[in-house]
Every structure is written in structure tokens, then in C-alpha cells.
Amino acid sequence: MTTFTSTTPTGEVIRSLLNSEAAAAAASRKRPLGFGRNAVQAVASVREPAVLRRHPHLVSFADVEADLDLLIDRAIAAIVDGEPTEDEILGHYVNIASLVRAVSFREGKLLEQAVERLAKANPNILVLTQSLKLPLVKAALEALSGNDWTCLDGVKLDCEAPAKGSYTPDLIIVNRARHTAYILDLKRSLASYGDTSRLEDLKIKMMASAMVLPDWLYKHHKRLMVDTVEVAIIDGASRPSDHANGVWALSEIDDLLEIDGVAACMAELRLRFGRRVQQLLEVEARKAIGVNAQPVTVGTDVVGPSSVPMRSRINLNGPSRTFEEDLAARLGDDGLARDDLTCDDLDDDVFGPCAEIEDDAPTPVFFRVGYARRPAAH
């Protein structure tokens, strides 16, 4: 188990200079989904003006720019190092698809690492990132299936009780001043979770883990004690949040860490990472287009030179005339073309009697319809 403890921040401490009533309002902040003595329902939280939601710790992007740029460089290097597997469907575009898949994975890891780095601005924060395999105790799952989450406040279970699988959160953040632990799951976007049950399944796992986390921390992290556990799913795309159901936008992460400027740093991080990713995609797209821009030669028996239908020079409804017979039929005695003749001029002297034309009619061709079958052996 590797733990990362925070250091004393160098940023300026910001305090509100407003009256005591405004300061009291600032003390009530939005809370994630959780239970314990400090837990407050998110739906009842007061949305204060920005100036009243300042926290006693501050971080600016200039202070962490070098560290965050290094994280971006490592993420981009990991994306580029991936070797795409040949795909007959994607063809020359397989490199682009491989990059997109790698970006989806690496962005989530990048967000975790950035939050871990920025949390150091609060000396009261302890961030756990590795070996976070929390057991899904059967009793916790059964309690969640038969009770509302709000009815389970204060229920703490033994982490060594019989379990049905496990859940590994992205981060566990412990606020030692508040004796509060946060189970965080960071998603680059929750767009793909909208019409599925995956989000509810994730919440169940996080809630079941929260019921054993106090005992787990005490036994596995040097008697670390907490009396409040809260869970939050962080949406990296910062779509509208739903605190009552544990969904938080990345732009609201200042309130979880009690550090001003974290959300702004994360926004700048995603902006810079996005630019680097788009540059990679543009390079691969140009390569793919350059390969596929070569002229494609297709046999004339497959497709004609023009999509406009042309009148066939061969009579498909009967025997073909020779060139001399066709020319004699189209020219009169005076050697002029007969295309301008009126209907009265079209008599048997030009094309012959109708009986001869009927004799040239094609013979009907019969064909079979039915289920496919193997060809007969020769």
C-alpha cells in the first residue's frame, strides 16, 4: 500500500471579510452522497455566491504547471506507444481508432493523477491511490437491496465479513481535520452511462464499499479513523451534476478538496491535453487520407466510365444487324439520314413487314427460384 501525504501549501490563504452572517452561510457547503455525523443531504445544500464559497487553501495553475505538463507528456507518450492491431474493416484508419481508444483510457488516469497532485495544497488531505480493493460484503449488498440509502446512516460493517467480489475506487481521499473519507470514481464523461444501468450498478458498489471503509482504513492504514464516509462520481465533462444521487461535475471539485483553484487547474489540464490529442489525430488522419487518396482502378466490366445511362448499340431484344444493314435502313435513296422522317414515311419499305419483326422476337427464358443449394458434382 502506498500513501501520499500532502505538504504545506505555498498559496495564499483566502478568508472572507464579510459579516458574521455571511461567514456562517459559507460554512454550509455542498456534500457528496454519504453517511455519518457530518453528512448532509445534497438536495438541502445552499448554493452560495462564489465569493462565499472560498476555502482556506488555494492553488494556482502557475504553481503546478510543471507537474501537470509532465503528467500530460507521460499520458501522450503512453498513447503513442500503443501498437494497433490490423483490422480489415477499419483498414488504414485503424491507427485513428486505436488512438481514440487509448485516449479514453489515459484521460481517466490523467484526471486521477492531477487530483492527487492538486490535493497536496490542503495539508489535511490524505490521498490513497494504490491497493484500494474494497470487499463487497454480502450484508452490505443485502442492506442496500432492501433499504433506502438514507436509512443506513451509521451502519458500519466488518471488512473481513463474507463478500461477493470487490470494488476498486479511483481515489480515496481522507480529510483528517473533518474525520471524513471520500470514495471517488472519476469518469472522463458520463455520456455513455445515460441510458444504461451501469451507473446504478456503480453506485451500489460504491455504497456497499462505504459501509466497510471505516473498518478497512482502521485495519489497513495504521489505525486511521473516520466517522463519515461519502461517495462521489466525478464527471470530467462537467455536465449538470446531481448531488442527491452522488454525481458531481469536475468544475465543483473545489468543494470536495476544500481548495480554491482546483477546478480551474483541471480545466486548463484538459484543455492542454485536448490540444495534444487533436494534433495526434490530425497527423494520423492526414496519413490515412494520403494513403487512400491514390486513384483506384476498377475494371470496366465492374463499373462503367459514367454514371449516366447510355443507349446500347446492341439490340438486346433480337438478332443484331450488321453495320451495313443498319446504315441502309437509316439512309434513304437520296443518301440523307432518315431521322427526320415523319410517322407517315415509316412504311414497310423502310423497315420491312411487321411479320418479319415478330419472327425476330426473343425466345422466353425460364429460370428457377428457390432456396440455395450446393452445386451438383460434375
Side-chain angles (χ1 to χ4, degrees), residues 173-192:
I173 294 179
V174 179
N175 189 320
R176 289 173 291 194
R178 293 182 176 273
H179 301 283
T180 300
Y182 302 97
I183 298 178
L184 301 186
D185 202 300
L186 283 79
K187 303 295 183 185
R188 64 180 300 272
S189 175
L190 288 178
S192 60

Side-chain angles (χ1 to χ4, degrees), residues 224-353:
L224 183 61
M225 300 181 65
V226 297
D227 50 35
T228 302
V229 179
E230 299 178 348
V231 303
I233 302 171
I234 309 298
D235 183 5
S238 291
R239 290 179 173 82
S241 57
D242 184 4
H243 296 167
N245 289 308
V247 177
W248 282 60
L250 185 62
S251 58
E252 301 170 317
I253 199 170
D254 289 11
D255 294 327
L256 290 177
L257 301 180
E258 299 185 5
I259 305 171
D260 279 330
V262 175
C265 292
M266 295 297 290
E268 180 64 22
L269 172 84
R270 295 185 75 243
L271 180 63
R272 296 190 178 198
F273 179 67
R275 289 172 180 168
R276 298 281 297 276
V277 168
Q278 291 169 24
Q279 290 174 359
L280 289 178
L281 291 174
E282 183 176 356
V283 170
E284 292 299 332
R286 290 182 180 277
K287 291 180 181 178
I289 294 174
V291 170
N292 289 276
Q294 299 297 328
V296 179
T297 304
V298 182
T300 55
D301 56 335
V302 178
V303 62
S306 175
S307 60
V308 180
M310 298 179 64
R311 185 173 61 182
S312 175
R313 294 181 179 273
I314 302 176
N315 183 8
L316 299 179
N317 296 320
S320 301
R321 293 192 182 99
T322 63
F323 176 76
E324 292 76 11
E325 292 173 345
D326 185 74
L327 182 61
R330 294 176 60 84
L331 296 178
D333 297 336
D334 53 359
L336 299 177
R338 303 290 295 206
D339 290 340
D340 297 332
L341 295 177
T342 62
C343 294
D344 296 337
D345 297 330
L346 300 178
D347 52 12
D348 292 344
D349 296 336
V350 178
F351 293 106

Side-chain angles (χ1 to χ4, degrees), residues 106-128:
R106 292 295 171 183
E107 183 182 353
K109 293 297 181 182
L110 177 63
L111 295 180
E112 297 173 24
Q113 296 168 352
V115 170
E116 175 191 351
R117 170 62 184 88
L118 295 171
K120 295 180 179 180
N122 186 343
N124 297 321
I125 293 294
L126 174 67
V127 182
L128 308 179

Side-chain angles (χ1 to χ4, degrees), residues 27-244:
S28 62
R29 64 187 184 89
K30 295 178 286 185
R31 307 289 295 179
L33 194 64
F35 60 88
R37 71 178 186 184
N38 296 328
V40 179
Q41 292 186 2
V43 291
S45 63
V46 180
R47 187 177 182 83
E48 302 89 359
V51 67
L52 298 181
R53 292 189 293 111
R54 295 295 179 91
H55 301 289
H57 304 285
L58 172 69
V59 63
S60 63
F61 189 82
D63 298 333
V64 295
E65 182 176 7
D67 293 341
L68 296 185
D69 282 343
L70 179 60
L71 294 178
I72 293 175
D73 291 340
R74 291 175 178 174
I76 294 297
I79 292 172
V80 174
D81 287 342
E83 281 293 333
T85 305
E86 293 185 3
D87 190 296
E88 295 180 357
I89 302 300
L90 297 176
H92 297 294
Y93 297 95
V94 67
N95 290 341
I96 299 177
S98 178
L99 281 178
V100 172
R101 287 191 292 264
V103 168
S104 300
F105 174 77
R106 292 295 171 183
E107 183 182 353
K109 293 297 181 182
L110 177 63
L111 295 180
E112 297 173 24
Q113 296 168 352
V115 170
E116 175 191 351
R117 170 62 184 88
L118 295 171
K120 295 180 179 180
N122 186 343
N124 297 321
I125 293 294
L126 174 67
V127 182
L128 308 179
T129 60
Q130 297 181 3
S131 302
L132 305 182
K133 192 175 183 180
L134 303 177
L136 297 176
V137 174
K138 293 181 180 179
L141 296 174
E142 293 172 357
L144 289 169
S145 63
N147 299 278
D148 186 77
W149 173 246
T150 56
C151 300
L152 301 175
D153 189 13
V155 178
K156 300 178 183 179
L157 301 176
D158 185 358
C159 67
E160 297 178 354
K164 297 175 62 176
S166 61
Y167 163 69
T168 303
D170 293 331
L171 297 173
I172 294 178
I173 294 179
V174 179
N175 189 320
R176 289 173 291 194
R178 293 182 176 273
H179 301 283
T180 300
Y182 302 97
I183 298 178
L184 301 186
D185 202 300
L186 283 79
K187 303 295 183 185
R188 64 180 300 272
S189 175
L190 288 178
S192 60
Y193 287 77
D195 300 330
T196 66
S197 61
R198 294 167 56 202
L199 188 60
E200 291 302 321
D201 294 341
L202 176 60
K203 291 178 185 177
I204 293 295
K205 292 180 179 179
M206 297 179 73
M207 293 173 183
S209 301
M211 298 175 70
V212 302
L213 183 63
D215 184 61
W216 186 84
L217 289 173
Y218 183 80
K219 292 179 178 178
H220 294 86
H221 284 276
K222 301 179 180 179
R223 303 297 188 263
L224 183 61
M225 300 181 65
V226 297
D227 50 35
T228 302
V229 179
E230 299 178 348
V231 303
I233 302 171
I234 309 298
D235 183 5
S238 291
R239 290 179 173 82
S241 57
D242 184 4
H243 296 167

